C-alpha cells in the first residue's frame, strides 16, 4: 500500500473494524517482521518516513468476504 494512504486507511479501520488490518514493516526498528498498526496507539506516527516505516500492507479478513 502506498504510504500516503496509511494514515487514512488506518483511521477508517478504526471506524469500521473487522474487515482488514493495517500492517507495517519497520515498526520499532523491526525490519524482518510486519506489525499491526492501531489507530489509538499509532495515529501520531510519521508514516511518510521511508527510513522509519519502509513498507505498509493491508491484510483482509477472508471470512468477512465469504472466503
Amino acid at each position: 500500500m502506498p504510504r500516503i494512504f496509511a494514515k487514512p486507511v488506518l483511521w477508517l479501520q478504526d471506524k469500521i473494524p473487522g474487515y482488514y488490518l493495517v500492517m507495517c514493516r519497520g515498526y520499532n526498528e523491526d525490519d524482518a517482521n510486519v506489525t499491526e498498526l492501531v489507530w489509538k496507539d499509532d495515529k501520531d506516527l510519521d508514516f511518510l518516513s521511508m527510513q522509519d516505516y519502509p513498507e505498509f500492507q493491508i491484510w483482509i479478513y477472508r471470512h468477512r468476504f465469504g472466503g
Side-chain angles (χ1 to χ4, degrees):
M1 167 176 67
R3 69 187 57 262
I4 192 94
F5 296 125
K7 197 165 280 194
V9 169
L10 183 61
W11 175 83
L12 186 61
Q13 192 276 334
D14 183 61
K15 302 304 176 199
I16 307 171
Y19 288 93
Y20 62 89
L21 300 174
V22 179
M23 308 297 288
C24 178
R25 186 172 56 81
Y27 190 87
N28 284 335
E29 300 178 12
D30 183 0
D31 291 331
N33 299 297
V34 291
T35 302
E36 178 185 1
L37 297 174
V38 178
W39 177 254
K40 183 181 95 171
D41 299 334
D42 302 319
K43 65 184 174 188
D44 295 324
L45 299 178
D46 178 15
F47 295 141
L48 298 179
S49 171
M50 289 184 73
Q51 181 179 350
D52 295 332
Y53 308 102
E55 179 185 353
F56 294 95
Q57 301 175 5
I58 296 177
W59 293 8
I60 298 174
Y61 291 121
R62 289 181 60 194
H63 70 275
R64 288 286 195 174
F65 297 104

